[in-house]
Amino acid sequence: MASPYAENNLPATPETLSVSQLNRQAKRLLESHFDFVWIEGEISNLAMPSSGHWYFSLKDDSAQVRCAMFRNRNQRLRLRPEPGQLVRVRARVSLYEGRGEFQLIVEHLEDAGAGALQRAFEALKRKLQAEGLFDAGRKRPLPAFPQHIVIVSSRSGAALRDLLTVFKRRFPALGLTLVPASVQGLEAPAQLCAALELAYTQVGVDAIVIARGGGSAEDLAAFNDEALARKIAESPVPVVSAVGHETDFTIADLVADQRAATPSVAAEMLSPDQRELAAQLLAVEQNLARQYRRHLKYLASTVSAISARIRHPGDRLREQSQRLDDLDLRLRRALSADLREKQQRLHLVTGRLRATSPRDRLRSALTRLNHLQDRAGRAVTARIGHCRHTLALQRTRLESIAPQRTLERGYAIVRDSQGRLVRRSADLQPGDRIRTQLAAGYVDSTVDRTGEDAGSQSNK
């Protein structure tokens, strides 16, 4: 009986692979089947040789896988892994042909906690941005000269010390109120919201600064809270976020009206520099003094020019008095001439009477002469009295219309900024400068409004 294993009955010999060929084909199969994958696990067996490459294992509760991260990739990382650290990697599935070991070629590595925080940060950022909480149109400018600032921060943190130091140096008179709150940990978001709610009730608050020092992503997680972001957006006054260092960025920074790189920068943004203000005030004071001196000089020259044109009332009174004396003298001369004429006529008549010597006619003529002399005396006396009365009346009238007497009765002379007399309210406009001349001194003022009295309107 023929053996079943006879040469003619054996199957065809299969292809024989070398170990290298097998590993190479397995590597190609793995790399072609898998795209980049994200894997999370704990680092173990970490090795960092002088070549700069990193070799380690990622493990979980029941398995582990070898990983390699070459120098051209790990040099870009800020993170330096540690044994036992939970990380998240982006890698290609491959095989190390030399040992036939299944492995991952790591392209990116991040802390698993930080990665989760970053994903949550990006998701919340997209949500709030879609709602318009980051829009520039809702951002309010900071007050130029605030009187009262509320600080929301930890009572024992370095951020508070930095804020107080800068505020004291730049503007010590600024009113500050601290509303303390935890700025780190699970309780921090709720405490920060409550602190902001209390800050909104402060009387006369001009702005709010919410601050803490730098820290890791976990330390700053409280400022990436959605409730806190919405509470900041509700603020009735501008809010400055000063969280972390210059490179740190939180949701609170995006929602706040202004972001400060550090707490010290926030204090500089909110407080005017007292030295700059003092210099500006000094410049304004000097400028006002120069303008005041120029204005006084102008007014003095204006007064001198007006004084030269105005005739003193006393001169006019003296002139009128002299004229009255001249009239009185002329009147006396006229009366004397009239009296002499009448006396001459009397002598003539007397001579004629004596020549004719009629006794009766003489007595009658004498009686008439006495009567005429009496009338002439009374007429002269009455005329002189009338003239004196007229003279006194004219003197009184002249004195009553003298400008000084008019001013003493409560009237005033109003001139505009050009020195022109103002007779109607229509000659002035609100804001015009006027000078009011009184009986004693003058008053410079500015017109608030003009109008016409009922009498002026009825006359039109």
Side-chain angles (χ1 to χ4, degrees):
M1 183 175 180
S3 172
Y5 297 102
E7 183 176 318
N8 292 332
N9 294 330
L10 288 176
T13 302
E15 180 183 2
T16 302
L17 300 175
S18 65
V19 175
S20 298
Q21 290 174 327
L22 175 62
N23 288 346
R24 187 174 301 113
Q25 290 184 19
K27 178 180 179 181
R28 289 174 182 172
L29 179 63
L30 288 171
E31 291 179 350
S32 62
H33 180 74
F34 289 96
D35 199 356
F36 283 100
V37 294
W38 285 92
I39 302 183
E40 186 174 290
E42 182 181 325
I43 292 179
S44 64
N45 303 319
L46 177 62
M48 296 181 177
S50 59
S51 63
H53 307 318
W54 294 350
Y55 302 99
F56 54 91
S57 297
L58 284 181
K59 66 177 184 178
D60 56 19
D61 294 337
S62 58
Q64 67 178 6
V65 61
R66 294 289 298 171
C67 300
M69 188 171 192
F70 300 115
R71 182 175 61 183
N72 63 336
R73 295 296 181 182
N74 63 42
Q75 283 180 337
R76 304 175 184 178
L77 297 181
R78 297 174 56 185
L79 173 67
R80 187 173 182 85
E82 299 288 342
Q85 182 179 4
L86 185 66
V87 296
R88 183 170 176 263
V89 301
R90 181 174 181 268
R92 292 184 292 108
V93 179
S94 185
L95 186 97
Y96 179 44
E97 295 182 30
R99 292 195 182 93
E101 294 180 350
F102 174 71
Q103 68 175 3
L104 301 177
I105 307 300
V106 178
E107 300 288 328
H108 174 74
L109 182 148
E110 63 184 34
D111 185 85
L117 292 175
Q118 184 65 27
R119 290 193 296 275
F121 173 86
E122 294 296 338
L124 180 58
K125 178 181 176 182
R126 289 191 295 271
K127 177 181 178 181
L128 298 182
Q129 188 170 20
E131 295 181 17
L133 266 66
F134 304 158
D135 292 350
R138 61 170 297 277
K139 307 287 186 178
R140 292 163 293 188
L142 300 183
F145 296 98
Q147 302 294 316
H148 184 194
I149 302 295
V150 174
I151 300 173
V152 176
S153 185
S154 171
R155 191 186 299 273
S156 59
L160 178 60
R161 293 193 298 272
D162 293 344
L163 285 167
L164 295 179
T165 299
V166 176
F167 279 134
K168 182 178 180 181
R169 171 175 55 83
R170 287 176 61 86
F171 202 73
L174 181 62
L176 301 175
T177 299
L178 172 64
V179 180
S182 176
V183 293
Q184 182 175 335
L186 296 178
E187 301 295 330
Q191 290 191 24
L192 288 169
C193 289
L196 284 174
E197 189 68 33
L198 180 59
Y200 298 160
T201 64
Q202 297 296 311
V203 177
V205 59
D206 296 312
I208 298 172
V209 55
I210 180 169
R212 72 148 285 156
S216 64
E218 290 83 357
D219 295 335
L220 304 180
F223 295 91
N224 291 323
D225 182 77
E226 181 176 356
L228 177 61
R230 297 189 184 280
K231 183 60 66 176
I232 294 174
E234 295 172 2
S235 174
V237 296
V239 176
V240 177
S241 175
V243 179
H245 297 304
E246 186 171 358
T247 56
D248 298 322
F249 226 95
T250 65
I251 294 295
D253 295 329
L254 299 173
V255 180
D257 295 280
Q258 289 285 346
R259 173 189 179 260
T262 63
S264 297
V265 173
E268 292 183 356
M269 294 168 61
L270 285 168
S271 59
D273 190 339
Q274 61 180 353
R275 290 173 294 186
E276 292 182 4
L277 291 178
Q280 293 175 5
L281 288 175
L282 179 60
V284 171
E285 180 183 4
Q286 293 174 346
N287 185 40
L288 286 176
R290 287 193 296 269
Q291 293 183 8
Y292 182 70
R293 287 193 295 269
R294 286 198 296 268
H295 189 61
L296 284 180
K297 185 177 181 180
Y298 166 75
L299 293 178
S301 62
T302 302
V303 170
S304 299
I306 293 174
S307 300
R309 293 196 300 267
I310 295 177
R311 191 174 180 183
H312 196 279
D315 295 338
R316 297 187 62 186
L317 288 175
R318 286 190 293 271
E319 181 179 337
Q320 294 295 331
S321 177
Q322 184 177 1
R323 185 179 178 188
L324 288 174
D325 291 339
D326 183 59
L327 291 174
D328 181 63
L329 182 60
R330 289 172 61 187
L331 178 61
R332 290 178 182 275
R333 289 173 181 171
L335 292 174
S336 298
D338 185 58
L339 182 59
R340 284 194 298 271
E341 181 182 356
K342 286 181 171 57
Q343 288 175 344
Q344 289 175 0
R345 290 177 62 187
L346 179 60
H347 289 307
L348 181 60
V349 171
T350 301
R352 289 177 180 176
L353 287 175
R354 287 176 180 174
T356 59
S357 187
R359 189 177 295 274
D360 294 335
R361 292 180 64 186
L362 179 60
R363 290 193 189 96
S364 177
L366 289 173
T367 302
R368 185 180 179 190
L369 176 61
N370 291 333
H371 179 67
L372 289 173
Q373 287 179 337
D374 184 63
R375 286 181 61 190
R378 288 197 301 272
V380 170
T381 302
R383 184 71 178 268
I384 292 174
H386 176 71
C387 290
R388 290 186 180 278
H389 176 71
T390 302
L391 178 63
L393 182 62
Q394 292 295 332
R395 183 188 297 273
T396 301
R397 288 178 178 176
L398 286 174
E399 290 178 351
S400 66
I401 65 174
Q404 185 62 29
R405 291 294 181 87
T406 302
L407 294 178
E408 289 175 354
R409 290 200 302 273
Y411 291 90
I413 299 175
V414 180
R415 298 181 185 275
D416 60 17
S417 61
Q418 303 300 321
R420 298 185 294 254
L421 288 175
V422 178
R423 295 181 174 85
R424 299 179 302 168
S425 62
D427 295 336
L428 296 174
Q429 297 293 331
D432 287 351
R433 297 286 297 172
I434 61 173
R435 167 165 289 188
T436 305
Q437 181 69 43
L438 306 175
Y442 62 87
V443 176
D444 286 339
S445 56
T446 302
V447 176
D448 289 335
R449 63 187 181 90
T450 63
E452 295 180 349
D453 55 21
S456 299
Q457 294 176 352
S458 63
N459 291 334
K460 289 188 176 181

